[in-house]
Amino acid sequence: MFTIFGSAVIGALVAAVATHYLYPKKNIGGLQPLTTEWDKTFAKSDKVDTHKVIFKNRFGIPLVGDLYMPKNKKAKRLPAIAVSGPFGAVKEQVSGRYAQTMAERGFVTLAFDPSFTGESGGLVRDVASPDINTDDFSAAVDYLITLPEVDSEKIGIIGICGFGGFGLNAAAQDTRIKATVTSTMYDMTRVTAWGYNDSMSEEDLYKMRKSLNDQRTQDAQNGTYAKAAPLPDKITGDEPQFVKDYINFYKTPLGFHKRSIGSNGAWNATSALSLITQPILAYSHTIKNPVLMIHGEKAHSRYFSEDAFKKLTGANKELMIIPNANHTDLYYKMDVIPFDKIEQFFKQNL
């Protein structure tokens, strides 16, 4: 495990190895240049301490996160929550907002950039993987378990948008995750393979697979990776409302961040290959630990949470629909995100 504390001198960091702190002396595993200044899209809280941390997933990819610690800890060991998402976002946009708010409410929290994105490692860049991105949550649990400030039996996760789906998949895989919250969830494997509201046919899917594999051939021949179409920089007026909502968040000062794929980039086109052939949530019905799924009433993506919720079993599962909210309202609107409910859920179940 690796941890960086702002601009602290290397000697002090090396001396702290015994207490789980270690300075990475070189760029490893595609690790990106790290920033030490506050460059979030939300204001810094004076109620928490924040540290940049580095840890690895089981594929050896170094992941970078922000660890939020309550300043007024009431116990030696606290419950902890790992947070990631949305799909294509970085920890400075949405997951950090959730993490900081939950740290204000008494939890140790970790907002992290998934593999191949943001400040996290992995080469090539801008790739999504159902397997690796699911494991990223478990890697965050691995890291939290090592912290002396954390009660290792009380760790939960929050997955937002596409990482709501990966988070729910992680809960089915990792029994150490004692409670799971998804917010404005997407099943990225379902929507990539079949389109919104499952509007694509098997013939459509085949044509897409052929096109993607043709692109893979070109990538191999060219030695480069073609990009999928990026989110438009400006609204033209012809887009669906949910696309306008995305543009309004990612492409304006409201949520723009230079390291975010949604704001300033595009996914590798061939990332879609694994998303269309490796569906997640096949074992979500086996999740025994509590799950709270949150979605906006007017979100175009609402059906993802409703359908996933129908497959969950047991009495400790809940679907919460937020009146009048759309998909991106749950990214940043502090008066819409039900933090009181999330706090109550984790305090009851961790």
Side-chain angles (χ1 to χ4, degrees):
M1 303 299 177
F2 306 97
T3 305
I4 293 179
F5 286 85
S7 59
V9 296
I10 293 177
L13 289 165
V14 172
V17 170
T19 58
H20 69 266
Y21 302 138
L22 179 64
Y23 186 83
K25 296 183 179 180
K26 61 181 180 179
N27 185 305
I28 54 173
L31 189 66
Q32 300 300 291
L34 304 183
T35 182
T36 56
E37 71 272 10
W38 184 269
D39 63 346
K40 318 292 192 254
T41 61
F42 51 91
K44 186 175 183 179
S45 171
D46 60 3
K47 298 178 182 179
V48 302
D49 292 318
T50 308
H51 308 294
K52 186 156 290 187
V53 302
I54 305 174
F55 53 98
K56 287 184 179 181
N57 65 17
R58 68 183 177 90
F59 299 93
I61 299 171
L63 305 180
V64 179
D66 288 317
L67 185 70
Y68 294 87
M69 193 81 65
K71 284 186 176 180
N72 298 318
K73 297 191 291 291
K74 296 182 179 180
K76 184 177 181 180
R77 289 181 177 269
L78 300 175
I81 306 167
V83 193
S84 197
F87 191 74
V90 289
K91 62 190 180 300
E92 290 77 14
Q93 291 172 305
V94 180
S95 58
R97 183 186 298 271
Y98 275 71
Q100 180 174 259
T101 302
M102 296 309 296
E104 290 177 331
R105 293 166 180 251
F107 300 85
V108 175
T109 61
L110 174 62
F112 64 91
D113 289 331
S115 296
F116 310 110
T117 66
E119 292 183 306
S120 287
L123 295 174
V124 296
R125 306 300 297 165
D126 306 333
V127 173
S129 163
D131 186 7
I132 295 173
N133 292 145
T134 294
D135 189 75
D136 288 342
F137 272 105
S138 289
V141 174
D142 292 341
Y143 175 76
L144 289 169
I145 282 174
T146 70
L147 300 181
E149 300 90 347
V150 169
D151 185 332
S152 62
E153 294 299 316
K154 296 182 178 181
I155 297 177
I157 63 172
I158 299 174
I160 306 159
C161 183
F163 279 82
F166 295 134
L168 197 60
N169 203 43
Q173 170 180 289
D174 193 336
T175 57
R176 301 172 304 168
I177 297 171
K178 303 303 183 183
T180 300
V181 170
T182 68
S183 180
T184 200
M185 190 201 88
Y186 256 62
D187 178 345
M188 292 307 306
T189 58
R190 178 180 176 182
V191 73
T192 305
W194 301 110
Y196 286 108
N197 299 300
D198 304 325
S199 58
M200 290 172 55
S201 66
E202 288 192 5
E203 182 62 24
D204 293 330
L205 176 58
Y206 177 79
K207 289 178 180 178
M208 180 170 63
R209 285 165 46 202
K210 185 178 186 306
S211 176
L212 289 169
N213 282 291
D214 288 345
Q215 183 60 62
R216 184 164 184 164
T217 296
Q218 294 178 34
D219 289 350
Q221 292 170 337
N222 297 333
T224 58
Y225 295 90
K227 296 293 186 179
L231 192 66
D233 288 330
K234 296 181 180 180
I235 296 171
T236 66
D238 297 327
E239 301 89 352
Q241 183 58 48
F242 73 91
V243 175
K244 294 177 183 178
D245 294 336
Y246 284 139
I247 294 171
N248 183 58
F249 178 77
Y250 283 110
K251 297 291 189 173
T252 73
L254 179 64
F256 178 87
H257 198 281
K258 63 182 180 180
R259 289 191 295 273
S260 165
I261 294 171
S263 290
N264 195 33
W267 291 99
N268 281 5
T270 54
S271 283
L273 282 168
S274 61
L275 292 172
I276 64 178
T277 57
Q278 299 172 34
I280 57 175
L281 306 185
Y283 291 91
S284 59
H285 64 284
T286 67
I287 299 172
K288 292 186 179 298
N289 292 329
V291 176
L292 170 63
M293 304 187 74
I294 303 166
H295 225 108
E297 177 190 17
K298 296 184 177 180
H300 70 286
S301 53
R302 175 177 165 179
Y303 71 99
F304 289 123
S305 285
E306 290 177 331
D307 288 355
F309 182 75
K310 292 173 186 176
K311 296 180 180 179
L312 299 179
T313 59
N316 55 358
K317 313 297 190 293
E318 182 178 354
L319 174 62
M320 182 180 188
I321 302 298
I322 307 301
N324 299 313
N326 67 28
H327 183 85
T328 59
D329 285 344
L330 293 172
Y331 284 8
Y332 67 96
K333 291 187 176 181
M334 300 300 287
D335 59 339
V336 175
I337 302 169
F339 282 116
D340 288 345
K341 175 67 174 182
I342 296 171
E343 176 185 359
Q344 178 189 39
F345 172 80
F346 280 123
K347 285 185 174 179
Q348 286 178 345
N349 294 296
L350 292 183

